[in-house]
Amino acid sequence: MRHLLSAGDLTRDEAVLVLDTAAQMAATQGREIKKLPTLRGRTVVNLFFEDSTRTRISFETAAKRLSADVINFSAKGSSVSKGESLKDTALTLQAMGADAVVVRHPASGAPHTLAHAGWTHGAVVNAGDGTHQHPTQALLDAFTLRRHLVGDGGRADATGRDLAGAHVAIVGDVLHSRVARSNVQLLHTLGARVTLVAPPTLVPVGAHAWTADVSYDLDETLATGPDAVMMLRVQRERMSSAGGGFFPSPLEYTRAYGLDGRRLAVLPDHAVVMHPGPMNRGLEISADAADSPRAVIVEQVANGVAVRMAVLYLLLAAGEPRTAPAAGSGRDEARTGVRTDETRVHA
Amino acid sequence: MSTTYLLRGVAPQGGDRTDVRVEDGVVVAVGADASADGATVVDGDGLVLLPGLVDLHTHLREPGREDAETVASGTRAAAAGGFTAVHAMANTSPTQDTAGVVEQVWRLGRDAGWVDVRPVGAVTVGLAGERLAELQAMARSAAAVRVFSDDGKCVHDPVLMRRALEYVKAFDGVIAQHAQEPRLTEGAQMHEGVVSAELGLAGWPAVAEEAIIARDVLLAEHVGSRLHVCHLSTAGSVEIIRWAKARGIAVTAEVTPHHLLLTDDLVRGYDPRYKVNPPLRTAEDVEAVRAGLEDGTIDVVATDHAPHTREDKDCEWAAAAFGMTGLETALPVVQATMVDTGRLTWADVARVLSATPARIGRVPGQGRPIAVGEPANLTLVDPAARRTVVPERQATASVNSPFAGTELPGAVVATFLRGRATVLDGALVDAPAGVRA
Ligand SMILES: [Zn+2]
């Protein structure tokens, strides 16, 4: 892994390696001293062209817990909005010696351009680009799913395991969702089955080629007993004609595609409810659903830090530019690395 | 400087080898009569002689964006690509929507002397799509405008389009429509389909082009006007044009070299060199436009040469400008996709890249047969050559070629504008502008 640009770039083994590494990172986070010295002396830049306090803080926390120096570079609202500025910003960061650039950008493909235009030599981590990808979100979702659905609901070791056989329903504004695109790819790579549920206006033309089924009927999908339901954020402004007129009213949307107490009751006992946040309570998810014991939404946030620690660790500390690790060896390498760090923390 | 040439052993339009003598701007002899007396002899062994190429769709960017291209640099590029006439699109700044601006561009072209520059007049004032520009004034100006287009924007108001189609009949003009339904393409970044769904780029659906073309052919039929469709790019558009022609509607259509060769798969790397409007389509669409060009449904190949500065392309996809250069690669791409595949003969190439565009644009003295007494607007091509495209070495002032690094067949060996060589031995013939006027 040289960069993390798209969930689709990860092989099954690479994805499992990230999840396994994240599990080790998470284990260290239960300790009193959470900080590992792994990335001491390395610089991680959070380059955000779009507001997202949640994602930025998650990456910042992850980098700091690995002892990296963190620079937050918020380019939103300044004159920085167009082309050349992405280049100039990248050149500036390169001059500062950024080892990794975590980039959030409203334009699909901007992290790809940053990684491939020769403007920076650091590892590029896509923290969400337009309506394209948000790979660390998909990884933290997979991590959360594996904890709950694999290894006897968390009682047995899930190391090395994928999500084979799981069925995940992803519900909402698929058209504009980088979370959906990333999850469709990663869940497929990990062996899970995905059903996308949305009004037809919010399913992209061309989605028939995706590794997912498409349903326009949430109740029908819930009746099939999915193992997890992932609700996507829906922006209220999408209903106005200026916003595209994708649905007639929030009420109609909620009636057809909102997750409420009644729909929650249909789910199998083991099923979990997820949401990438921030939630629109009362629109795509009711308070009953969001606050129910099945909801693992807060846990997703905590897992986000562990997964991002794993990604930064694998990109920056686990050896030079690497391809898919040979089965087993890469995993061992990662585990060894982390244990060494733990030892140092406690020394 | 000699203005007498003997082109020895050339194959006019790919036919039998013969000699062609050019003197005082005119073809004076073909065959046994063509002597070398007092002439510069050009060895044409193995070369194809075509009528000088005529582009119906060129963006020269002057006035306004001289940082991307000037009339001088763009017409040099045209000559290097084998062209002897180009139509300069109207989306300049100020817009080519008055007699004054079209005459300015025409004069810049005449003074540069590389090709005949035929300015295209804007259909509506400022390309705003609200009211007709003074089309008659542009037609009667020294620039003698015959092609009118809001290219880059679509004349989407059906009443305005109807009026424009009707109005230009008074001076034998034609409306060249950039077919793009604006509401269906708001924020559009690439062809809408499997690739856009994956890349998360807003889609430019085929129907946005096809719906306008369908409407416009019906309008043209209703008012009895001729219509030209710019850069059609989809299989559905080809079908509509085929239907309209069968119905007897006076419609002509063009396809660009890039739509003959490239597909939307190339967008996967988010390289803005592949960002163009209309967007690159699917492999099925590419096959359909090739078939349409082969069977005559599509009348011409036009470059849509659209130079852009580096800063307009050296950025993320969404921020990048639409467009690609094309004057110096048009003939090689047509050879690669249509001639080397056996779908067009060189005589067909002369038709789609010279005779028909000259006829549509009513360009005097261009696109003529290679015959005694005809103006010597000629292009000599080596079909056996193979060259790798290096944008930095092209004559255009911009480097946004989608074919950079691609090896393409064919090379322009010589170009003659009214008997004067603008390209000789494969190189541009630089001379003081005064000599050219
Ligand atoms: Zn156009």
Side-chain angles (χ1 to χ4, degrees):
Chain A
M1 237 165 47
R2 168 90 175 81
H3 305 288
L4 180 60
L5 302 176
S6 166
D9 295 342
L10 295 169
T11 63
R12 184 260 177 207
D13 286 351
E14 283 174 314
V16 169
L17 171 62
V18 175
L19 302 187
D20 290 349
T21 308
Q24 292 155 22
M25 295 295 178
T28 69
Q29 297 309 295
R31 302 176 196 278
E32 202 172 323
I33 299 168
K34 296 183 169 63
K35 208 161 176 171
L36 307 177
T38 317
L39 297 185
R40 183 167 291 157
R42 314 297 286 273
T43 300
V44 175
V45 175
N46 285 320
L47 176 59
F48 275 56
F49 288 84
E50 191 178 75
D51 279 335
S52 177
T53 312
R54 308 162 60 96
T55 305
R56 185 182 55 72
I57 287 176
S58 182
F59 270 106
E60 185 174 353
T61 306
K64 284 183 171 168
R65 293 214 176 139
L66 292 170
S67 303
D69 295 323
V70 179
I71 300 171
N72 287 314
F73 195 111
S74 174
K76 206 228 166 200
S78 62
S79 60
V80 180
S81 64
K82 226 191 130 158
E84 188 71 17
S85 59
L86 177 63
K87 178 178 180 177
D88 285 335
T89 308
L91 293 173
T92 304
L93 300 178
Q94 173 65 18
M96 288 173 172
D99 296 294
V101 179
V102 175
V103 60
R104 161 71 67 109
H105 201 287
S108 298
H112 195 282
T113 301
L114 194 61
H116 294 290
W119 302 332
T120 175
H121 300 303
V124 176
V125 180
N126 183 356
D129 62 328
T131 56
H132 179 220
Q133 282 278 322
H134 195 356
T136 57
Q137 178 71 43
L139 285 163
L140 77 87
D141 289 339
F143 183 79
T144 307
L145 284 168
R146 193 173 76 163
R147 279 206 153 174
H148 287 272
L149 304 179
V150 178
D152 195 20
R155 283 182 288 278
D157 184 16
T159 304
R161 303 271 304 269
D162 57 23
L163 297 172
H167 179 205
V168 181
I170 302 178
V171 187
D173 184 357
V174 175
L175 179 63
H176 301 96
S177 177
R178 51 196 173 207
V179 175
R181 281 176 180 77
S182 303
N183 265 298
V184 165
Q185 291 178 340
L186 187 67
L187 289 170
H188 174 72
T189 300
L190 291 172
R193 184 161 74 84
V194 176
T195 303
L196 297 168
V197 186
T201 48
L202 290 175
V203 177
V205 166
H208 62 86
W210 292 3
T211 50
D213 297 326
V214 174
S215 165
Y216 305 138
D217 191 321
L218 178 56
D219 290 312
E220 242 171 44
T221 302
L222 296 182
T224 65
D227 301 300
V229 182
M230 188 182 294
M231 304 306 294
L232 301 172
R233 179 178 167 80
V234 173
Q235 291 178 315
R236 280 170 206 277
E237 52 272 25
R238 299 273 183 230
M239 70 170 186
S240 73
S241 69
F246 292 98
F247 50 89
S249 73
L251 272 178
E252 172 140 314
Y253 182 87
T254 303
R255 276 196 295 267
Y257 299 100
L259 188 67
D260 56 13
R262 178 181 64 80
R263 286 182 169 133
L264 203 62
V266 175
L267 291 173
D269 289 343
H270 69 275
V272 295
V273 171
M274 308 172 79
H275 193 297
M279 289 182 280
N280 286 306
R281 285 172 182 260
L283 182 54
E284 74 266 7
I285 190 165
S286 74
D288 283 348
D291 302 331
S292 85
R294 296 167 173 288
V296 294
I297 297 164
V298 177
E299 190 189 324
Q300 284 174 273
V301 176
N303 292 341
V305 173
V307 162
R308 286 165 182 137
M309 287 173 78
V311 166
L312 291 172
Y313 168 79
L314 290 169
L315 286 172
L316 294 180
E320 286 312 301
R322 49 191 297 157
T323 48
S329 72
R331 205 173 298 147
D332 293 342
E333 196 180 310
R335 203 175 302 147
T336 312
V338 177
R339 284 193 180 144
T340 308
D341 296 334
E342 282 179 38
T343 312
R344 276 195 226 133
V345 169
H346 295 280
Chain B
M1 188 176 170
S2 168
T3 54
T4 304
Y5 292 94
L6 181 74
L7 314 181
R8 179 171 279 162
V10 297
Q13 308 207 353
D16 293 337
R17 290 181 52 191
T18 187
D19 299 341
V20 175
R21 184 179 168 95
V22 171
E23 196 171 338
D24 296 329
V26 177
V27 175
V28 293
V30 177
D33 300 344
S35 82
D37 289 353
T40 302
V41 176
V42 177
D43 178 14
D45 193 29
L47 307 186
V48 172
L49 185 65
L50 299 173
L53 309 184
V54 177
D55 193 15
L56 260 183
H57 196 141
T58 313
H59 296 275
L60 293 179
R61 301 287 186 232
E62 188 179 1
R65 287 307 301 267
E66 293 82 355
D67 52 343
E69 194 84 282
T70 62
V71 171
S73 67
T75 54
R76 270 184 106 234
F83 290 88
T84 53
V86 300
H87 288 76
M89 274 299 172
N91 60 340
T92 50
S93 181
T95 307
Q96 290 169 207
D97 59 1
T98 64
V101 179
V102 292
E103 285 195 351
Q104 178 194 356
V105 171
W106 173 75
R107 284 206 179 84
L108 286 167
R110 189 191 58 181
D111 293 349
W114 293 100
V115 300
D116 288 347
V117 172
R118 299 276 295 177
V120 172
V123 177
T124 67
V125 174
L127 309 178
E130 285 162 9
R131 59 195 174 90
L132 289 181
E134 291 187 350
L135 308 183
Q136 181 130 207
M138 290 188 271
R140 308 283 185 225
S141 74
V145 175
R146 290 296 177 274
V147 180
F148 298 88
S149 181
D150 276 2
D151 183 58
K153 295 197 174 164
C154 178
V155 183
H156 62 91
D157 179 330
V159 176
L160 199 55
M161 185 61 181
R162 174 198 170 144
R163 296 283 177 262
L165 285 168
E166 289 175 310
Y167 191 71
V168 298
K169 286 199 278 189
F171 34 87
D172 198 21
V174 65
I175 305 296
Q177 176 73 294
H178 169 115
Q180 177 179 5
E181 211 295 313
R183 283 278 287 148
L184 283 171
T185 51
E186 278 171 17
Q189 294 291 323
M190 68 171 296
H191 173 68
E192 183 168 42
V194 169
V195 182
S196 68
E198 182 185 325
L199 296 185
L201 290 172
W204 199 131
V207 61
E209 172 173 312
E210 294 154 5
I212 292 292
I213 296 176
R215 180 200 75 178
D216 285 354
V217 296
L218 293 170
L219 279 174
E221 177 180 46
H222 182 63
V223 299
S225 295
R226 63 187 180 114
L227 165 73
H228 179 71
V229 179
C230 294
H231 45 53
L232 70 73
S233 64
T234 76
S237 298
V238 177
E239 277 303 301
I240 294 164
I241 299 292
R242 195 174 278 131
W243 173 86
K245 287 188 166 183
R247 211 172 146 93
I249 298 170
V251 61
T252 52
E254 76 190 28
V255 64
T256 70
H258 45 273
H259 289 110
L260 285 171
L261 185 58
L262 309 176
T263 66
D264 64 343
D265 262 326
L266 290 163
V267 181
R268 288 183 192 279
Y270 292 99
D271 184 338
R273 280 185 306 146
Y274 300 114
K275 185 173 178 180
V276 66
N277 186 11
L280 301 179
R281 305 287 188 184
T282 68
E284 292 72 39
D285 295 305
V286 167
E287 172 49 32
V289 294
R290 289 184 187 185
L293 187 60
E294 182 180 5
D295 72 15
T297 301
I298 296 173
D299 301 86
V300 308
V301 175
T303 66
D304 197 5
H305 175 80
H308 286 291
T309 58
R310 277 186 58 215
E311 49 269 38
D312 280 341
K313 286 290 190 181
D314 214 3
C315 54
E316 65 271 26
W317 182 274
F322 289 97
M324 20 180 89
T325 61
L327 285 167
E328 290 158 89
T329 44
L331 189 58
V333 171
V334 169
Q335 184 185 332
T337 57
M338 302 303 292
V339 179
D340 292 353
T341 55
R343 304 182 86 153
L344 289 186
T345 64
W346 284 106
D348 294 327
V349 173
R351 172 171 53 80
V352 302
L353 269 168
S354 178
T356 306
R359 182 172 52 74
I360 292 168
R362 304 294 194 246
V363 190
Q366 297 278 356
R368 303 290 306 161
I370 299 168
V372 173
E374 293 288 352
N377 295 311
L378 300 166
T379 297
L380 196 54
V381 184
D382 179 4
R386 292 195 73 85
R387 286 193 185 157
T388 299
V389 178
V390 181
E392 290 75 12
R393 285 195 214 134
Q394 292 183 324
T396 172
S398 289
V399 294
N400 55 305
S401 170
F403 306 112
T406 306
E407 192 188 76
L408 291 170
V412 172
V413 174
T415 308
F416 298 93
L417 178 63
R418 283 182 287 283
R420 188 169 42 77
T422 54
V423 174
L424 209 54
D425 297 327
L428 286 155
V429 181
D430 278 292
V435 175
R436 307 184 175 284

Coordinates of all heavy atoms in Angstrom, one line a residue, chain B residues 57 59 151-153 178 230-231 277-278 304, ligand 1:
Chain B
H57 N -14.6 23.4 -37.1 CA -14.8 23.6 -35.7 C -13.4 23.7 -35.0 O -12.8 22.8 -34.6 CB -15.6 22.4 -35.1 CG -16.1 22.6 -33.8 ND1 -17.4 22.1 -33.4 CD2 -15.7 23.3 -32.7 CE1 -17.6 22.5 -32.2 NE2 -16.6 23.2 -31.7
H59 N -11.2 26.3 -32.2 CA -11.2 27.4 -31.2 C -9.8 28.0 -31.3 O -8.8 27.4 -30.9 CB -11.5 26.9 -29.8 CG -12.9 26.3 -29.7 ND1 -14.0 27.1 -29.4 CD2 -13.3 25.1 -29.8 CE1 -15.1 26.4 -29.3 NE2 -14.7 25.1 -29.6
D151 N -21.4 27.6 -30.0 CA -20.7 26.5 -29.5 C -20.1 26.7 -28.1 O -19.5 27.7 -27.8 CB -19.6 26.1 -30.5 CG -18.9 24.8 -30.0 OD1 -19.6 23.8 -29.8 OD2 -17.7 24.9 -29.7
G152 N -20.2 25.6 -27.4 CA -19.9 25.7 -25.9 C -21.1 25.8 -25.2 O -21.3 25.3 -24.1
K153 N -22.1 26.5 -25.8 CA -23.4 26.5 -25.2 C -24.4 26.1 -26.3 O -24.1 26.2 -27.5 CB -23.8 28.0 -24.8 CG -22.9 28.4 -23.7 CD -23.5 29.6 -23.0 CE -22.6 30.0 -21.8 NZ -22.9 31.4 -21.3
H178 N -24.4 23.1 -30.9 CA -23.8 22.3 -29.9 C -24.9 21.8 -29.0 O -25.6 22.5 -28.2 CB -22.9 23.3 -29.0 CG -22.3 22.7 -27.8 ND1 -21.0 22.4 -27.6 CD2 -23.0 22.2 -26.6 CE1 -20.8 21.9 -26.4 NE2 -22.0 21.8 -25.8
C230 N -23.0 19.9 -34.4 CA -21.5 19.8 -34.0 C -21.3 18.5 -33.3 O -22.1 17.9 -32.7 CB -21.2 20.9 -33.1 SG -21.3 22.6 -33.8
H231 N -20.0 18.0 -33.4 CA -19.5 17.0 -32.6 C -20.5 16.0 -32.0 O -20.6 15.9 -30.8 CB -18.6 17.5 -31.5 CG -19.1 18.7 -30.7 ND1 -20.3 18.7 -30.1 CD2 -18.6 19.9 -30.5 CE1 -20.5 19.9 -29.5 NE2 -19.5 20.6 -29.7
N277 N -16.1 18.3 -23.8 CA -17.5 18.5 -24.0 C -17.9 18.5 -25.5 O -17.4 19.4 -26.2 CB -18.0 19.8 -23.3 CG -19.5 19.9 -23.3 OD1 -20.2 19.0 -23.6 ND2 -19.9 21.1 -22.9
P278 N -18.8 17.6 -25.9 CA -19.4 16.5 -25.2 C -18.3 15.5 -24.8 O -17.2 15.4 -25.3 CB -20.3 15.8 -26.3 CG -19.8 16.3 -27.6 CD -19.2 17.6 -27.4
D304 N -12.8 20.3 -33.3 CA -13.1 20.9 -32.0 C -11.8 21.2 -31.2 O -11.7 21.0 -30.0 CB -14.1 20.0 -31.2 CG -14.7 20.8 -30.0 OD1 -14.4 22.1 -29.9 OD2 -15.4 20.2 -29.2
Ligands
ZN1 ZN -19.1 22.3 -28.8

